[in-house]
Amino acid sequence: LSRDTAVGKSFVAVARDHQVVEIWRHCQETGEEQSEAVEMGGRGPFLRVVATPLRGTPQDGCLVLFQDLTQIRRLETVRRDFISNISHELRTPLASLKALVDTLHDGALDDPPAARRFLECMETEVDMLTQMVQELLELSRIESGQVSLRLEPTPVASVVLPPVERLRPLAKRAGLRLTVDLLPDLPPLLADAEQMRQVITNLVHNAIKFTPSGGKVTVSAEPIKDAIVISVRDTGVGIPADDLPRIFERFYKADRARSGSGTGLGLAIAKHIVLAHGGRLWAESPTDAEGKGSIFYVALPALTPR
């Protein structure tokens, strides 16, 4: 509300929220400071409302303060979800290992072919746990700035083409078309080529994993102002709008990924590598309906502005 529309009106008419009005009324009735958390409209913003009595003022008024705690609330949610998700990711392989060990103890050791098969399954689960720990350590080092980047003039093609060629057999087995569309005469990037190849690998692998057979994955790049924007576009299942802001969190998985394999750390690692380059990583997906695919964008500083 502007000053002109607010002055002269009652607090009830200005606040227009029954929770806020109740805090104000309770402050007036008791003459004591009141402080409560209020979630406006059911989905935010999340506010701390503090009402303090002002004795000796006309009509013994109240000072009402609003503190926006939406970001703090979001971070608390992220922390809770991280603990829940990492517990979920660890529980599955550990439960599998426990079952395999119990089976071996119950007599499978006396059946060499079966024992060998169980040991191979155990090795697979241990490898999965090892990969998760390694990626967590890598992510921790990137976040803390302990990974030093070797920034050099790097052609865009040398960042994009090696990951694409490495993943082309996987796309072929999945029945997908994997294409590259790079504009000619793109200025070079100032980048750590190996780190950026890991980013493109993660994005293209995700696109392949969530695109049904017969679909298409396209990797392209174009100059926009003083940056190069690399995009990975797929015709897959898409990302629900509520999940888009959180897909780069550690272990966060949208519903579409719950049945998929992987540690849930790839996008988080990719985001922090891009941020360390002074770039930006984001995703878009049609909001009108799921199943129309998604686009991941990586914007990196070009060596020379265009």
Side-chain angles (χ1 to χ4, degrees):
L1 297 173
S2 67
R3 175 185 175 88
D4 292 339
T5 56
V7 170
K9 290 188 178 180
S10 68
F11 182 76
V12 175
V14 173
R16 294 187 296 184
D17 184 274
H18 71 93
Q19 297 175 90
V20 174
V21 170
E22 279 301 312
I23 296 169
W24 167 68
R25 281 179 174 159
H26 199 199
C27 174
Q28 283 191 316
E29 291 168 359
T30 63
E32 298 176 352
E33 180 176 283
Q34 306 295 319
S35 177
E36 289 187 31
V38 174
E39 189 166 13
M40 308 289 287
R43 299 192 63 178
F46 187 77
L47 306 176
R48 167 70 62 183
V49 181
V50 183
T52 305
L54 299 177
R55 297 180 181 88
T57 60
Q59 300 179 349
D60 289 333
C62 291
L63 173 66
V64 183
L65 299 178
F66 296 87
Q67 296 174 301
D68 189 350
L69 304 181
T70 305
Q71 179 68 1
I72 295 175
R73 176 70 171 266
R74 190 191 73 82
L75 293 175
E76 289 177 350
T77 301
V78 169
R79 179 183 59 82
R80 287 196 303 269
D81 287 350
F82 172 72
I83 294 173
S84 173
N85 289 335
I86 194 172
S87 300
H88 171 81
E89 296 295 336
L90 291 173
R91 184 170 57 244
T92 301
L94 289 175
S96 178
L97 284 170
K98 175 63 175 172
L100 290 166
V101 169
D102 289 344
T103 304
L104 288 171
H105 278 309
D106 290 341
L109 280 172
D110 299 326
D111 184 352
R116 190 175 297 109
R117 188 171 65 253
F118 289 145
L119 286 173
E120 289 173 354
C121 293
M122 292 171 70
E123 185 177 26
T124 299
E125 298 294 349
V126 170
D127 287 344
M128 184 68 176
L129 287 170
T130 302
Q131 180 187 353
M132 189 184 304
V133 171
Q134 288 175 340
E135 291 188 354
L136 272 173
L137 289 173
E138 180 182 3
L139 183 57
S140 178
R141 286 195 297 268
I142 295 171
E143 287 179 328
S144 62
Q146 294 179 10
V147 175
S148 57
L149 299 177
R150 294 190 299 175
L151 300 177
E152 300 174 344
T154 306
V156 177
S158 71
V159 169
V160 171
L161 295 182
V164 169
E165 293 308 315
R166 192 180 307 126
L167 292 170
R168 196 174 293 282
L170 178 64
K172 186 174 181 181
R173 287 196 299 271
L176 305 176
R177 282 192 300 148
L178 177 56
T179 62
V180 178
D181 181 17
L182 299 180
L183 292 176
D185 302 324
L186 286 171
L189 302 168
L190 187 61
D192 184 317
E194 194 59 39
Q195 293 283 352
M196 285 310 306
R197 288 183 194 128
Q198 181 179 354
V199 172
I200 302 303
T201 297
N202 288 349
L203 297 181
V204 175
H205 186 268
N206 260 18
I208 293 172
K209 184 162 59 173
F210 298 118
T211 301
S213 179
K216 182 179 179 181
V217 176
T218 304
V219 185
S220 59
E222 60 178 332
I224 298 180
K225 295 183 178 179
D226 57 350
I228 299 294
V229 178
I230 302 170
S231 63
V232 178
R233 182 188 304 263
D234 65 60
T235 59
V237 296
I239 304 171
D242 290 343
D243 291 315
L244 268 177
R246 303 192 59 191
I247 57 174
F248 297 104
E249 295 172 13
R250 290 172 289 185
F251 292 112
Y252 188 82
K253 292 183 178 181
D255 291 340
R256 68 175 188 146
R258 283 295 174 192
S259 60
S261 60
T263 62
L265 293 169
L267 288 179
I269 291 173
K271 178 181 179 181
H272 282 87
I273 290 175
V274 172
L275 290 176
H277 279 77
R280 188 170 158 245
L281 172 61
W282 73 99
E284 295 178 359
S285 193
T287 56
D288 54 340
E290 295 178 28
K292 292 188 177 181
S294 55
I295 313 171
F296 283 79
Y297 296 97
V298 179
L300 295 172
L303 191 59
T304 54
R306 289 177 62 91

